[in-house]
């Protein structure tokens, strides 16, 4: 992997250009083997990946997901075990903001008192005395963002976290939050086939000096070319609920992936590597976190930093996946509720 570094805002922290999202090791994309997951994390460190992303909620599916649960905090505990003895070699990011109520349903909660409680619990599960980058996973609509970020700033003053991030918020929220404390990173979905952020949010990130951390940068594996239109997703794979993967939409989207596959083959790389390289070529600080639970694919993703793309290549790929050519929106039904709509 290249020695280039990506700064996380103005926090003084920098990372290698390609990180690792660990969510799928606990939830959402079918069954996972813990031993293989830990081997994948170890391999990631060995090949130079040093930016690891998790969340306290990963593993704790509620009834609306229709999935079995590994338990709240499962992914953090897994990652904590995997990096034991190598903690100083990595930048560790986790998130809070969704919890389970008494009925076992996921609810949003970013009250200041919960911020401190959630952080202490994550520190214990991760087996560390500090979190490098701490995000609000999803904002609670009952709590002004200023109050949540203010509580996070107190955690930073106490040395429990090094930098503050937000996830999946709009430009106005970014500006309001930044007026309270420095925001180092925004984590949101961004890829060749999901580019909603380009309308406004990306320019706000540039203006405020906020690094973008794209999740699902490979389109939930669609951009790797390994998901076919006839693929049947199991009950514990939530891609089957997403609009872009619905039969008619995906048949159309698969034709775009075929174009990407041809483009990549001509250059001797995989479609996924080219898709990641396109993100790295954007005119802003970006640190994508492709998720995988396989050693093979973490090695493949790390090699994306070696893909040479000219300005014309970047433009060609952008036009190939122009938003009007991609079928289906980002999400289907909302999967977590605010505290007003629960029976807790």
């Amino acid at each position: 992997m290249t020695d280039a570094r990506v700064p996380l805002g103005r926090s003084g922290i920098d990372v290698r250009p390609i990180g690792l999202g660990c969510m799928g090791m606990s939830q959402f994309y079918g069954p996972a083997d813990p031993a293989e997951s830990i081997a994948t994390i170890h391999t990631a460190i060995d090949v130079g990946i040093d930016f690891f992303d998790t969340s306290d909620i990963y593993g704790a599916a509620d009834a609306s997901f229709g999935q079995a649960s590994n338990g709240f905090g499962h992914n953090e505990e897994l990652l904590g075990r995997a990096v034991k003895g190598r903690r100083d070699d990595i930048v560790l990011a986790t998130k809070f903001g969704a919890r389970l109520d008494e009925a076992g349903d996921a609810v949003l909660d970013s009250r200041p008192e919960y911020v401190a409680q959630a952080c202490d619990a994550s520190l214990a599960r991760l087996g560390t005395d500090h979190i490098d980058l701490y995000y609000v996973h999803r904002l609670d609509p009952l709590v002004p963002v200023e109050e949540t970020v203010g509580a996070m700033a107190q955690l930073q003053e106490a040395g429990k976290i090094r930098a503050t991030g937000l996830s999946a918020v709009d430009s106005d929220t970014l500006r309001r939050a930044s007026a309270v404390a420095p925001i180092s990173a925004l984590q949101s979905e961004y890829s060749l086939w999901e580019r909603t952020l380009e309308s406004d949010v990306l320019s706000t990130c540039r203006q405020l000096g906020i690094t973008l951390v794209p999740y699902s940068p490979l389109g939930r594996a669609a951009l790797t070319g390994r998901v076919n239109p006839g693929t049947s997703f199991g009950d514990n794979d939530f891609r089957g609920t997403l609009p872009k993967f619905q039969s008619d939409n995906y048949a159309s989207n698969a034709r775009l992936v075929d174009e990407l596959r041809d483009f990549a083959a001509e250059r001797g790389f995989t479609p996924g590597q080219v898709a990641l390289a396109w993100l790295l070529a954007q005119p802003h600080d970006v640190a994508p976190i492709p998720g995988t639970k396989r050693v093979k694919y973490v090695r493949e993703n790390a090699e994306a930093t070696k893909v040479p793309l000219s300005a014309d290549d970047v433009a060609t790929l952008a036009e190939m996946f122009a938003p009007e050519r991609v079928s289906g929106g980002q999400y289907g039904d909302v999967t977590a509720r605010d505290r007003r709509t629960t029976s807790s």
Side-chain angles (χ1 to χ4, degrees), residues 6 190-192 195 198 202 206 212 214 274-288 309-311 313-319:
V6 177
Y190 186 49
S191 68
L192 272 171
R195 293 161 58 189
E198 292 180 343
L202 285 185
R206 286 194 290 270
L212 179 67
V274 169
L276 292 172
W278 180 83
L279 285 172
L280 298 180
Q282 298 308 302
H284 47 264
D285 289 331
V286 59
L309 292 180
S310 67
D313 289 336
V314 172
T316 295
L317 289 165
E319 180 60 29

Side-chain angles (χ1 to χ4, degrees), residues 259-297:
E259 293 180 34
L260 174 63
R261 183 187 289 107
D262 292 342
F263 180 99
E266 290 174 2
R267 289 155 179 80
F269 294 97
T270 69
Q273 289 170 333
V274 169
L276 292 172
W278 180 83
L279 285 172
L280 298 180
Q282 298 308 302
H284 47 264
D285 289 331
V286 59
I289 48 168
T292 185
K293 50 193 175 184
R294 302 278 188 268
V295 168
K296 173 183 177 181
Y297 298 134

Side-chain angles (χ1 to χ4, degrees), residues 66-83:
Q67 297 182 354
S69 173
N70 284 307
F72 190 92
H74 177 270
N75 201 247
E76 287 184 327
E77 292 172 350
L78 177 74
L79 181 57
R81 291 199 307 272
V83 302

Side-chain angles (χ1 to χ4, degrees), residues 116-331:
Q117 175 187 336
C119 181
D120 285 344
S122 287
L123 288 170
R125 285 188 293 265
L126 290 163
T128 186
D129 63 358
H130 71 280
I131 295 163
D132 296 302
L133 176 59
Y134 199 39
Y135 296 98
V136 188
H137 201 156
R138 293 292 186 273
L139 281 170
D140 181 346
L142 296 178
V143 181
V145 67
E146 292 85 352
E147 293 184 14
T148 303
V149 171
M152 297 172 78
Q154 293 178 6
L155 293 176
Q156 192 165 351
E157 292 171 4
K160 293 184 178 183
I161 69 174
R162 296 176 63 197
T164 296
L166 298 176
S167 178
V169 300
D170 60 19
S171 291
D172 178 64
T173 303
L174 280 175
R175 294 185 187 281
R176 288 170 54 198
S178 295
V180 176
I183 302 300
S184 298
L186 170 68
Q187 183 176 131
S188 286
E189 184 172 359
Y190 186 49
S191 68
L192 272 171
W193 84 341
E194 177 49 58
R195 293 161 58 189
T196 306
L197 295 183
E198 292 180 343
S199 63
D200 183 36
V201 172
L202 285 185
S203 61
T204 301
C205 286
R206 286 194 290 270
Q207 292 166 10
L208 298 176
I210 297 171
T211 298
L212 179 67
V213 179
Y215 72 77
S216 299
L218 295 174
R220 306 184 192 278
L223 298 176
T224 67
R226 293 190 291 267
V227 182
N228 300 311
T231 298
S232 177
F233 299 107
D235 291 340
N236 58 355
D237 189 325
F238 91 131
R239 284 175 293 186
T241 71
L242 299 178
K244 286 185 177 68
F245 288 92
Q246 301 307 307
S247 58
D248 290 345
N249 288 340
Y250 197 67
S252 175
N253 293 334
R255 289 191 284 272
L256 305 183
V257 176
D258 287 341
E259 293 180 34
L260 174 63
R261 183 187 289 107
D262 292 342
F263 180 99
E266 290 174 2
R267 289 155 179 80
F269 294 97
T270 69
Q273 289 170 333
V274 169
L276 292 172
W278 180 83
L279 285 172
L280 298 180
Q282 298 308 302
H284 47 264
D285 289 331
V286 59
I289 48 168
T292 185
K293 50 193 175 184
R294 302 278 188 268
V295 168
K296 173 183 177 181
Y297 298 134
V298 81
R299 291 184 183 277
E300 179 180 311
N301 293 341
E303 293 292 306
T305 59
K306 299 178 180 178
V307 178
L309 292 180
S310 67
D312 286 345
D313 289 336
V314 172
T316 295
L317 289 165
E319 180 60 29
M320 187 184 298
F321 284 86
E324 61 270 17
R325 299 190 73 198
V326 179
S327 300
Q330 187 175 10
Y331 286 113

Side-chain angles (χ1 to χ4, degrees), residues 3 52 95 160:
D3 289 330
F52 293 81
K95 300 178 282 291
K160 293 184 178 183

